[in-house]
Amino acid sequence: MSYSLEFRPAALRELRKLPPEVGDQLHVIFEKLKENPRPPGCLKMKGDAGFWRVRSGNYRVIYDIQDSKLIVLILDVGHRKDIYN
């Protein structure tokens, strides 16, 4: 059972701004999220929204899991100092 990935336009814009080596690291994370949207090391964020986050070095990926549709929606990507603002 494999999930599909969808990106919010803002997440795609942020992803394009990142250095190529960081983008490559995050693409590995994206592929892993397709197979297991709740990998070891991911955390459910506090609050009512129920979003998840996974880290790759100093960068974070915030996403939503839609189990009924088998979709992982990437909401935001960025450096840890900027992502939570």
Side-chain angles (χ1 to χ4, degrees):
M1 179 166 71
S2 183
Y3 285 71
S4 63
L5 285 180
E6 291 184 7
F7 291 82
R8 286 183 53 194
L12 283 175
R13 281 192 301 273
E14 291 300 319
L15 188 58
R16 287 187 199 113
K17 292 179 187 178
L18 297 177
E21 61 275 1
V22 174
D24 292 342
Q25 288 176 337
L26 293 178
H27 283 289
V28 171
I29 297 289
F30 298 149
E31 290 302 315
K32 290 180 181 179
L33 288 176
K34 284 182 176 180
E35 296 303 316
N36 180 10
R38 296 171 185 91
C42 76
L43 293 174
K44 190 165 186 175
M45 297 179 68
K46 295 183 180 186
D48 296 329
F51 298 144
W52 294 78
R53 87 157 163 87
V54 66
R55 62 182 218 134
S56 176
N58 287 329
Y59 291 85
R60 305 294 184 262
V61 177
I62 297 176
Y63 61 99
D64 185 27
I65 303 169
Q66 300 173 3
D67 286 315
S68 61
K69 298 178 186 177
L70 295 178
I71 294 174
V72 175
L73 177 62
I74 307 298
L75 302 170
D76 204 0
V77 176
H79 194 275
R80 65 187 177 107
K81 69 178 180 176
D82 301 322
I83 196 81
Y84 302 112
N85 295 334

